[in-house]
């Protein structure tokens, strides 16, 4: 038979077995916290990044870009200037298409110059999962930009005056397209558009050190088609930039 439990007498401290001195409590780990990271990107002088992107031009060719990007904060927005090398190569479908009389519009290998502006829509401090990654500042941006394609091989056998005129023309001339015939893929019909207008959305993820990542989705819109005569009206660019803000 169990002994009856004696009720605590008045004045007894029933929590005393669980009490610890303050110094002993400080020596123990009682939990973890995430330290907020506020990175003021507006106060940076410049940001330099390496970029890479995958192009989805709604044809049978593959395309990727790699290059460098300079970003300059200005009046609450961010201005961007980039240069990239873009390469196109065949897919199994384009190889089969080359065996037919049909051709698809596309872009041969080229240099591309980009000018864009980003406008912050929302920003704040965020924590990450898993917790091994530090907290960061996230800025959600809307982008608009102009892309200019340069085909060095297109200027073969052109006079300096013709090259100068070609550089400012919105579309490739017949002579330039003829010069690029050896550079195009077998199933490719060279698209004459030289300029492209893009809009999109992206995130800037800033770490305390100034390192940042910027994934982005851009969509080409055909507003300039009446002057560029492009046949690639709508296509997308999925990109990632990684760099440092100073």
């Amino acid at each position: 038979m169990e002994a009856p439990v004696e009720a605590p007498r008045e004045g007894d401290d029933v929590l005393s077995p669980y009490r610890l001195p303050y110094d002993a409590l400080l020596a123990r780990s009682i939990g973890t916290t995430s330290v907020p990271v506020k990175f003021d990107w507006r106060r940076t002088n410049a940001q330099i990044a390496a970029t890479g992107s995958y192009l989805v031009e709604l044809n049978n060719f593959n395309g990727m870009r790699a290059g460098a990007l300079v970003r300059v904060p200005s009046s609450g927005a961010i201005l961007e200037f980039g240069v990239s090398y873009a390469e196109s190569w065949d897919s199994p479908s384009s190889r089969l298409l080359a065996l037919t009389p049909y051709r698809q519009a596309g872009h041969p290998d080229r240099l591309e110059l980009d000018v864009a502006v980003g406008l912050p829509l929302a920003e704040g401090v965020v924590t990450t999962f898993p917790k091994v990654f530090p907290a960061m500042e996230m800025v959600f941006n809307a982008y608009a930009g102009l892309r200019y394609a340069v085909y060095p091989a297109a200027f073969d056998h052109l006079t300096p005056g013709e090259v100068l005129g070609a550089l400012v023309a919105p579309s490739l001339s017949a002579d330039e397209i003829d010069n690029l015939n050896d550079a195009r893929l077998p199933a490719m019909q060279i698209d004459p558009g030289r300029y492209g207008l893009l809009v999109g959305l992206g995130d800037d993820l800033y770490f305390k050190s100034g390192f940042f990542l910027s994934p982005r989705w851009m969509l080409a819109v055909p507003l300039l088609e009446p002057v560029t005569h492009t046949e690639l009206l709508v296509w997308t660019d999925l990109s990632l930039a990684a760099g440092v803000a100073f």
Side-chain angles (χ1 to χ4, degrees):
M1 181 176 180
E2 296 183 358
V5 177
E6 184 179 351
R9 293 188 299 270
E10 186 177 355
D12 286 351
D13 186 355
V14 296
L15 297 179
S16 59
Y18 308 101
R19 297 185 185 280
L20 283 176
Y22 182 66
D23 292 340
L25 184 62
L26 289 179
R28 294 188 177 185
S29 174
I30 59 175
T32 60
T33 62
S34 294
V35 179
V37 173
K38 178 72 170 78
F39 186 88
D40 194 352
W41 58 272
R42 291 176 177 83
R43 292 185 176 273
T44 60
N45 297 317
Q47 303 176 10
I48 300 175
T51 64
S53 61
Y54 180 71
L55 302 173
V56 184
E57 294 184 332
L58 301 183
N59 54 27
N60 288 312
F61 309 110
N62 294 310
M64 294 190 73
R65 305 168 72 237
L69 184 67
V70 176
R71 314 174 79 206
V72 182
S74 176
S75 302
I78 191 160
L79 303 177
E80 297 185 343
F81 306 91
V83 57
S84 297
Y85 176 75
E87 183 176 357
S88 300
W89 70 94
D90 272 318
S91 69
S93 296
S94 67
R95 294 188 187 98
L96 292 175
L97 183 65
L99 302 177
T100 75
Y102 302 102
R103 297 294 177 262
Q104 279 190 327
H107 295 129
D109 298 349
R110 62 205 176 276
L111 293 175
E112 291 185 337
L113 307 178
D114 288 276
V115 179
V117 59
L119 299 175
L121 302 179
E123 55 188 302
V125 174
V126 296
T127 56
T128 60
F129 178 83
K131 296 296 185 181
V132 294
F133 296 104
M136 63 188 75
E137 174 88 2
M138 183 179 74
V139 184
F140 183 64
N141 293 312
Y143 291 97
L146 184 69
R147 179 167 296 177
Y148 175 82
V150 181
Y151 301 92
F155 303 139
D156 292 347
H157 313 300
L158 298 184
T159 66
E162 290 172 332
V163 171
L164 183 60
L167 288 174
V168 298
S171 60
L172 300 176
S173 66
D175 289 337
E176 290 177 281
I177 292 175
D178 288 341
N179 289 336
L180 289 173
N181 271 328
D182 292 335
R184 67 175 177 85
L185 297 172
M188 180 181 290
Q189 175 181 313
I190 298 173
D191 186 80
R194 197 189 306 270
Y195 296 94
L197 185 64
L198 294 94
V199 297
L201 300 170
D203 273 335
D204 291 339
L205 305 174
Y206 293 100
F207 295 84
K208 185 178 181 180
S209 62
F211 175 76
F212 69 90
L213 296 172
S214 182
R216 189 177 310 178
W217 169 82
M218 299 292 285
L219 176 71
V221 291
L223 296 180
L224 299 181
E225 187 275 335
V227 294
T228 62
H229 307 296
T230 180
E231 296 184 28
L232 297 172
L233 301 180
V234 179
W235 46 272
T236 60
D237 182 341
L238 307 174
S239 68
L240 176 65
V244 179
F246 301 96

